[in-house]
């Protein structure tokens, strides 16, 4: 397993590093290998490890496997709390053989919107993109509005509480991405928030979506409704009746 992710195939070079920045060999644990083998069969899911058991590394192992299965150059978008963005970057540089200039880490919409001299977005040149969950929500709200009683008429009479697109999609939401990871996914447990809606919209534009959490259920089974929505699960799992009947 580990050797395959490091060496690659006859068609695609592996991108899993052998050693971290301290020179310590990177050896996946059994539970991480089993999780990746399971996740390779899925298009969405939740990676649930107890705290300290390496959810971040597990997701990156899955990304390395996806790189081999689907071809080089697959884009990975990671949404995480602002306070762990640098930790994600450090772990990526340890585990993944990826040039630093192919990784973007930002909490600012202005950075996502920066352009090259030819008018293309710098974002489009990146292979791995790490944004805060608030940044992703902000990008979504730049081109979508939630319907309220006050703006219902101006938004075409759509149902109160629903979301209506009001402008061209933000650059972060343009084009499909191979993989989308939602770190600390339990913060999406309320399916009615703008944050959950934004992550669900992004998930619908990605081929593979995985939520990472150590606490998938905080208050009750209904918490899983929001988590399933944010990873764009099968429709039956996005139903209130499924979890609360």
């Amino acid at each position: 397993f580990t050797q395959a992710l490091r060496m690659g195939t006859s068609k695609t070079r592996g991108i899993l590093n052998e050693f971290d920045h301290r020179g310590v060999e990177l050896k996946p644990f059994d539970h991480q290998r089993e999780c990746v083998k399971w996740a390779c069969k899925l298009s969405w899911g939740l990676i649930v490890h107890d705290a300290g058991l390496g959810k971040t590394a597990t997701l990156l192992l899955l990304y390395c496997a996806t790189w081999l299965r689907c071809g080089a150059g697959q884009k990975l978008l990671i949404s995480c709390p602002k306070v762990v963005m640098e930790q994600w970057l450090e772990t990526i540089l340890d585990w993944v053989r990826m040039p630093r200039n192919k990784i973007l880490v930002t909490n600012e919409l202005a950075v996502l919107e920066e352009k090259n001299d030819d008018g293309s977005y710098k974002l489009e040149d990146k292979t791995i993109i790490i944004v805060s969950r608030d940044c992703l929500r902000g990008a979504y709200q730049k081109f979508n509005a939630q319907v309220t009683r006050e703006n219902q008429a101006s938004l075409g009479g759509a149902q109160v509480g629903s979301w209506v697109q009001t402008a061209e999609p933000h650059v972060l939401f343009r084009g499909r991405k191979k993989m989308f990871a939602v770190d600390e996914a339990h913060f999406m447990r309320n399916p009615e928030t703008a944050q959950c809606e934004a992550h669900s919209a992004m998930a619908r534009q990605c081929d593979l979506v995985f939520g990472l959490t150590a606490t998938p259920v905080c208050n009750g089974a209904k918490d899983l409704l929001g988590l399933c929505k944010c990873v764009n699960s099968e429709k039956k799992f996005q139903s209130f009746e499924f979890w609360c009947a």
Side-chain angles (χ1 to χ4, degrees):
F1 173 88
T2 306
Q3 194 71 4
L5 297 185
R6 289 173 181 168
M7 301 300 294
T9 67
S10 59
K11 295 182 178 180
T12 306
R13 180 170 174 264
I15 57 171
L16 178 65
N17 276 327
E18 186 173 359
F19 302 98
D20 66 14
H21 68 280
R22 299 165 298 179
V24 177
E25 185 177 5
L26 297 169
K27 295 181 178 180
F29 294 109
D30 289 344
H31 71 273
Q32 293 175 315
R33 289 195 293 268
E34 289 303 313
C35 183
V36 171
K37 291 176 182 177
W38 160 79
C40 280
K41 303 174 184 178
L42 305 173
S43 60
W44 66 271
L46 297 175
I47 295 175
V48 182
H49 297 343
D50 285 337
L53 292 186
K55 293 182 294 296
T56 302
T58 298
L59 187 280
L60 295 177
L61 289 166
L62 177 58
Y63 177 61
C64 291
T66 301
W67 186 278
L68 295 184
R69 293 170 55 236
C70 302
Q74 304 300 327
K75 290 186 179 293
L76 168 62
L77 173 64
I78 300 165
S79 167
C80 63
K82 179 182 177 181
V83 295
V84 298
M85 292 172 65
E86 288 301 320
Q87 180 182 329
W88 265 98
L89 175 61
E90 292 172 3
T91 307
I92 289 171
L93 294 175
D94 269 348
W95 283 83
V96 183
R97 199 177 300 124
M98 181 69 60
R100 177 62 183 85
N101 64 1
K102 286 294 185 180
I103 306 172
L104 175 65
V105 184
T106 186
N107 182 48
E108 300 179 13
L109 291 178
V111 173
L112 296 175
E113 296 161 1
E114 290 179 354
K115 293 185 177 182
N116 296 307
D117 293 338
D118 62 3
S120 62
Y121 287 97
K122 293 183 178 180
L123 176 69
E124 297 170 344
D125 300 328
K126 306 303 180 181
T127 304
I128 299 178
I129 303 164
I130 306 169
V131 297
S132 72
R133 57 175 180 250
D134 292 330
C135 185
L136 191 147
R137 173 185 51 77
Y140 181 74
Q141 290 180 303
K142 289 198 75 170
F143 69 99
N144 288 277
Q146 189 169 25
V147 181
T148 64
R149 296 186 187 281
E150 290 73 22
N151 65 15
Q152 186 177 29
S154 64
L155 293 176
Q159 182 179 351
V160 172
S162 63
W163 289 81
V164 175
Q165 184 171 331
T166 57
E168 288 295 312
H170 187 271
V171 61
L172 184 63
F173 282 80
R174 296 179 193 173
R176 290 195 67 80
K177 299 168 183 64
K178 193 63 186 180
M179 183 179 289
F180 178 36
V182 183
D183 193 18
E184 304 295 347
H186 51 276
F187 283 101
M188 306 295 161
R189 60 185 179 271
N190 184 346
E192 298 180 358
T193 62
Q195 189 163 255
C196 187
E197 182 68 28
H199 284 73
S200 178
M202 177 59 75
R204 293 193 294 272
Q205 295 181 220
C206 301
D207 297 332
L208 307 171
V209 187
F210 292 91
L212 285 67
T213 179
T215 52
V217 177
C218 298
N219 304 305
K222 66 179 181 180
D223 289 348
L224 291 167
L225 173 57
L227 274 67
C228 287
K229 178 180 177 179
C230 85
V231 298
N232 193 33
S233 71
E234 294 176 32
K235 291 300 181 184
K236 67 178 180 180
F237 298 127
Q238 298 186 46
S239 165
F240 181 84
E241 290 73 20
F242 183 89
W243 297 109
C244 303

